[in-house]
């Protein structure tokens, strides 16, 4: 990030071996204008998305849908290529990030003028840091937090519904991890007990980020060929998306690997005082998301027998019941006793409903690409790819195939099992 501060369908797949190599990661996006404004790790390659869309356009007119939009990769790629695109995202804070990124066509000079107003006002603001949550005090020095608080207070005083104001908010959000002395794991978890060798000065970082964003606006604004739309909604219903809207779906749903997507923006949400800490994530974020981690589910809020009896799971009923039974027994052999059996049952019920909703909003025929990976909680293998394909067919799609991108879970020294896992593109047609 320091460098940025300097500043009619057939059954086919679009991936080449070269594009597949990095398609499942967000890392290459950090070199691209606008995409790099905020690193949301649960993302995929914008250049890979552009390849899919470009090759689809050669076969006819397309309309794109991304039901798990995240920070807007598919929407931005679609705008660049002049393709109509609609996105859905359920995480309220991530929705705000994506919507701010989609304002890149705002006049860059007007944006910088607003940034200067924020900076000038901040110079005369009295910092008040005592009311920040504990996590914030653990992650920032007193001097850094005072500077950040001045900027936050200044932004709030000037805040309105203008594009410039929303982009200024994103500018402040985007520098937090670079100003913090705390370590962050690759998946955006905060590690206050691990210290970075150096961190950036808040005021300098804010100004440099603003200059970087303005430069990107001038570049990307000239390339934009259409306008995409983002809806804060639930992929399990696709509410807000018209029937028969899309003939191409490009997305990456939450993986069933116990990653808490709600936790990815805890630092930013705590700084903005939208939550007080980890305990607030359930009501603020997690309740809206696909149940892909054990934090979503307990014996108090999930009746596994009722979940497994759901008609939506009929295509995989026998195998998922057997798998959940294994997980239920296995959990007692581990200290954490995590509710992976509940998580897997709920995750696939949620995803079954996603496929049903997608069938409603997709034209016929349509092509759907899910960047997806399998999993093995407690070493019990979950055939995610097969089950996803079967649920898609049960929802009314005709066929599916899978293209492997890479092996997963092979580089971690502390991995808990030796079950081989992979990641790749699940292509669904019909």
């Amino acid at each position: 990030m320091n460098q940025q501060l300097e500043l009619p369908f057939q059954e086919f797949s679009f991936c080449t071996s070269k594009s597949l190599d990095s398609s499942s990661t967000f890392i290459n996006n950090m070199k691209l204008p606008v995409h790099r404004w905020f690193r949301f790790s649960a993302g995929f390659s914008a250049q890979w998305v552009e390849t899919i869309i470009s090759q689809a356009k050669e076969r006819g007119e397309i309309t794109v849908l991304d039901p798990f939009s995240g920070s807007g990769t598919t929407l931005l790629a679609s705008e660049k290529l002049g393709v109509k695109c609609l996105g859905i995202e359920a995480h309220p804070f991530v929705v705000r990030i994506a919507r701010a990124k989609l304002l890149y066509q705002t006049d860059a000079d007007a944006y910088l003028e607003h940034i200067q107003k924020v900076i000038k006002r901040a110079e005369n603001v009295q910092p008040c840091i005592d009311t920040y949550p504990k996590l914030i005090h653990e992650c920032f020095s007193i001097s850094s937090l005072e500077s950040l608080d001045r900027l936050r207070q200044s932004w709030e005083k000037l805040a309105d519904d203008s594009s410039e104001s929303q982009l200024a908010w994103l500018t402040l959000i985007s520098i937090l991890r670079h100003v913090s002395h705390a370590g962050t794991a690759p998946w955006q978890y905060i590690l206050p007990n691990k210290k970075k060798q150096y961190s950036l000065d808040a005021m300098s970082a804010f100004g440099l980020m603003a200059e970087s964003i303005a430069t990107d606006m001038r570049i990307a604004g000239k390339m934009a060929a259409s306008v995409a739309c983002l809806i804060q909604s639930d992929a399990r219903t696709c509410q807000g998306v018209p029937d028969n809207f899309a003939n191409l779906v490009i997305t990456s749903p939450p993986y069933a690997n116990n990653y808490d997507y709600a936790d990815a923006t805890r630092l930013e949400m705590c700084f903005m005082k939208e939550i007080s800490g980890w305990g607030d994530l359930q009501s603020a974020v997690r309740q809206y998301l696909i149940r892909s981690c054990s934090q979503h589910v307990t014996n108090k809020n999930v009746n596994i027998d009722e979940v497994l009896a759901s008609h939506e799971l009929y295509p995989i009923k026998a195998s998922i019941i057997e798998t959940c039974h294994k997980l239920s027994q296995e959990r007692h052999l581990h200290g954490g006793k995590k509710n992976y059996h509940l998580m897997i049952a709920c995750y696939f019920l949620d995803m079954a409903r996603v496929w049903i909703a997608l069938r409603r909003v997709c034209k016929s025929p349509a092509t759907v690409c899910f960047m997806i990976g399998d999993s093995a909680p407690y070493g019990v293998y979950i055939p995610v790819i097969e089950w996803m394909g079967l649920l898609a067919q049960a929802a009314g799609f005709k066929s599916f195939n899978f293209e492997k991108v890479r092996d997963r879970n092979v580089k971690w020294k502390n991995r808990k099992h030796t079950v081989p896992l992979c990641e790749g593109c699940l292509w669904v047609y019909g």
Side-chain angles (χ1 to χ4, degrees), residues 299-313:
N299 288 318
K300 294 181 179 179
N301 64 17
V302 174
N303 183 319
I304 191 168
D305 292 332
E306 290 182 0
V307 172
L308 293 174
S310 301
H311 69 276
E312 295 97 329
L313 291 178

Side-chain angles (χ1 to χ4, degrees), residues 230-254:
L230 177 62
I231 302 172
Q232 184 174 336
S233 186
D234 190 332
R236 290 167 289 195
T237 63
C238 288
Q239 184 176 354
V241 182
D243 292 357
N244 303 310
F245 171 79
N247 56 2
L248 178 60
V249 176
I250 309 171
T251 197
S252 181

Side-chain angles (χ1 to χ4, degrees), residues 167-309:
L167 285 165
W169 172 85
L170 180 60
T171 307
L172 178 55
I173 291 301
S174 297
I175 68 171
L176 293 180
R177 292 172 188 261
H178 308 290
V179 174
S180 172
H181 59 251
T184 51
W187 276 83
Q188 268 175 288
Y189 288 138
I190 303 299
L191 305 172
N193 294 328
K194 293 188 177 182
K195 308 295 183 182
K196 294 188 294 193
Q197 290 184 349
Y198 63 91
S199 56
L200 300 179
D201 171 74
M203 288 295 180
S204 298
F206 187 71
L208 288 168
M209 178 61 78
E211 290 292 342
S212 180
I213 287 176
T215 298
D216 284 359
M217 291 166 68
R218 294 187 177 103
I219 296 170
K222 296 178 181 179
M223 296 188 295
S226 65
V227 176
C229 180
L230 177 62
I231 302 172
Q232 184 174 336
S233 186
D234 190 332
R236 290 167 289 195
T237 63
C238 288
Q239 184 176 354
V241 182
D243 292 357
N244 303 310
F245 171 79
N247 56 2
L248 178 60
V249 176
I250 309 171
T251 197
S252 181
Y255 288 14
N257 63 0
N258 206 37
Y259 174 67
D260 189 359
Y261 291 88
D263 203 10
T265 57
R266 176 160 51 113
L267 178 72
E268 291 79 7
M269 295 178 74
C270 281
F271 174 75
M272 295 306 295
K273 299 184 179 180
E274 296 186 14
I275 60 173
S276 297
W278 186 86
D280 294 336
L281 288 173
Q282 181 63 37
S283 59
V285 179
R286 205 176 286 125
Q287 64 167 319
Y288 304 114
L289 307 184
I290 297 294
R291 292 171 288 183
S292 60
C293 79
S294 57
Q295 302 298 339
H296 285 87
V297 292
T298 68
N299 288 318
K300 294 181 179 179
N301 64 17
V302 174
N303 183 319
I304 191 168
D305 292 332
E306 290 182 0
V307 172
L308 293 174

Side-chain angles (χ1 to χ4, degrees), residues 395-408:
F397 292 94
K398 292 183 179 179
S399 62
F400 67 92
N401 63 47
F402 179 75
E403 284 183 282
K404 178 179 172 180
V405 171
R406 64 184 180 94
D407 294 319
R408 291 176 57 233

Side-chain angles (χ1 to χ4, degrees), residues 363-374:
K363 298 177 181 179
S364 184
T367 296
V368 180
C369 181
F370 270 31
M371 181 60 67
I372 197 69
D374 49 14

Side-chain angles (χ1 to χ4, degrees), residues 118 121-128 132 143 145-155 203:
V118 173
R121 191 179 189 107
E123 294 172 353
N124 299 315
V125 169
Q126 182 66 34
C128 179
Y132 281 98
S143 60
L145 185 53
E146 286 181 342
S147 295
L148 289 170
D149 181 68
R150 289 189 181 99
L151 289 169
R152 185 189 63 79
Q153 288 192 58
S154 176
W155 173 81
M203 288 295 180

